[in-house]
Amino acid sequence: MRKAILTQDKLASIPALVGEGLSNAEIAAQLGCTAGTLKVRCSKFGISLRRPAELKPPKLPKSPKSLRLRALSERATATLRQCALARGLSSAKLASDLLEVIATDDLFDAVLDHEPA
């Protein structure tokens, strides 16, 4: 018999994780399962994965081409992957978190070692 991936304790923690605004993929990664398994089990046990309306990010129009990100160098990708792994995050989540803080706190000049304009 296989060991249960989502124990009762893990299932009980899901509403709090949803309340924190974590995505399905982030919750699944934290609980050690796939997003598909998470959705099926939550459906089976009547656990809602819908985030409260106030935590949902606003729907933004599609990014114009000027805002698309270019691919990172192999060195930057490897370093990002190592840092993310050390923090228990995916590379995409760490990159997203970094960009969020830089944009929110207006740290562009500090990060790029430029004098403020």
Side-chain angles (χ1 to χ4, degrees):
M1 191 164 133
R2 282 187 349 178
K3 182 179 175 184
I5 294 173
L6 293 176
T7 63
Q8 291 297 325
D9 289 340
K10 286 184 178 181
L11 288 169
S13 70
I14 293 171
L17 297 172
V18 171
E20 290 175 19
L22 296 178
S23 69
N24 293 353
E26 291 168 329
I27 294 170
Q30 191 168 337
L31 298 178
C33 67
T34 66
T37 297
L38 177 70
K39 289 178 184 179
V40 169
R41 295 294 182 226
C42 287
S43 175
K44 181 178 178 180
F45 291 102
I47 300 169
S48 175
L49 289 171
R50 293 184 183 205
R51 292 189 287 174
E54 65 273 4
L55 293 178
K56 286 184 183 175
K59 296 233 178 190
L60 299 174
K62 289 190 177 185
S63 300
K65 288 188 180 195
S66 63
L67 293 180
R68 294 196 182 178
L69 302 175
R70 65 173 177 79
L72 297 174
S73 68
E74 287 182 32
R75 180 179 176 199
T77 301
T79 303
L80 184 67
R81 189 177 300 123
Q82 285 178 325
C83 277
L85 185 62
R87 289 169 171 75
L89 301 171
S90 69
S91 297
K93 173 69 173 141
L94 179 58
S96 175
D97 289 351
L98 287 168
L99 288 172
E100 179 74 25
V101 170
I102 290 167
T104 303
D105 295 349
D106 193 19
L107 297 173
F108 299 100
D109 293 319
V111 171
L112 297 172
D113 288 332
H114 292 163
E115 292 294 321

